[in-house]
Amino acid sequence: MEKNKELTMPTLNLLSILIFIVSSINAGAAHAQLNHQNSWAKRVERGNEVTTTLQFYFHNIPSGPGPTSVRIAEAAQTNRSRTFFGALMMIDDPLTVGPDPSSRIMGRAQGLMGSAGLNKFTLIMAVSYVFTDGIYNGSSFSLLSINEVLRPAQEMAVVGGTGLFRLARGYVVARTHSIDAMSVAIVEYNVTIVTYDYSEHPHE
């Protein structure tokens, strides 16, 4: 009996160690997958809160063979207004990791933009930014905010989100990267979002 005990106890200890190692590897892999650092997104976890910073480029194409922004309504005085006051646009603009239009698409900006300024060019934006890349695939955040587009840096409010951005709160700082003769605008977005940790069930 003592001999069997001597053989069994080390075996049990070895099995316990192996189980612990495998469990640690699996947990570490899951954590690493969630915290995969995309080139355009960084996550920092503090307790049950997550701060996510995003950088990407928004391409608004109002003309040409494949416009991503179209006018769907206007006021009687819109075409006489120097700010196009009353014009309402529907957008489905690509979001890319770099400013080049051929760079990788990682999402779409979909929603409404309306000219809301009588005397200066100001947009009211009700837009969802829907992502298709990495762990953020299927997640989105939403803006409902004034955009003073002629400012060097335009700050806008994040009012909610879905998936990994549930209950999002935060802000966007947008800067015009370029605008061409066809009014195609490329805008750099820097976004800071605070959410709770929904890593275990991001889409339930």
Side-chain angles (χ1 to χ4, degrees):
M1 181 66 72
E2 288 298 322
K3 184 176 182 181
N4 289 340
K5 185 176 179 181
E6 289 175 3
L7 292 173
T8 302
M9 291 304 293
T11 302
L12 289 173
N13 289 338
L14 180 59
L15 285 173
S16 298
I17 292 169
L18 288 173
I19 290 170
F20 174 77
I21 291 172
V22 170
S23 298
S24 298
I25 291 172
N26 289 338
H31 190 267
Q33 182 181 8
L34 181 63
N35 286 281
H36 168 67
Q37 299 295 290
N38 294 288
S39 61
W40 55 274
K42 307 295 181 189
R43 287 167 59 90
V44 176
E45 299 178 8
R46 295 184 180 88
N48 68 338
E49 278 197 343
V50 180
T51 299
T52 306
T53 55
L54 312 174
Q55 183 184 53
F56 54 83
Y57 291 83
F58 167 103
H59 300 254
N60 186 256
I61 307 168
S63 60
T68 62
S69 173
V70 295
R71 188 183 296 193
I72 60 172
E74 62 185 41
Q77 71 269 33
T78 293
N79 291 327
R80 300 193 302 272
S81 167
R82 63 187 180 89
T83 63
F84 300 101
F85 179 68
L88 184 63
M89 311 294 291
M90 182 72 75
I91 68 167
D92 184 2
D93 290 338
L95 308 175
T96 64
V97 296
D100 193 312
S102 64
S103 62
R104 181 164 56 90
I105 293 176
M106 30 64 70
R108 312 286 301 190
Q110 298 171 317
L112 297 168
M113 298 193 305
S115 181
L118 275 171
N119 300 311
K120 60 181 179 180
F121 194 44
T122 301
L123 298 176
I124 179 69
M125 299 185 65
V127 180
S128 288
Y129 296 75
V130 184
F131 300 105
T132 57
D133 188 52
I135 63 168
Y136 300 98
N137 184 20
S139 295
S140 70
F141 73 84
S142 296
L143 294 184
L144 180 58
S145 195
I146 287 292
N147 179 359
E148 297 186 37
V149 294
L150 297 182
R151 284 181 175 269
Q154 307 114 44
E155 186 169 327
M156 295 170 280
V158 174
V159 297
T162 66
L164 289 174
F165 298 128
R166 288 178 185 172
L167 298 178
R169 62 191 190 277
Y171 64 96
V172 170
V173 177
R175 294 179 174 87
T176 301
H177 179 270
S178 64
I179 185 165
D180 67 15
M182 299 297 290
S183 297
V184 174
I186 300 173
V187 182
E188 179 187 350
Y189 270 60
N190 288 277
V191 187
T192 300
I193 296 174
V194 178
T195 55
Y196 296 101
D197 185 1
Y198 292 108
S199 59
E200 293 185 6
H201 307 287
H203 298 297
E204 287 186 3

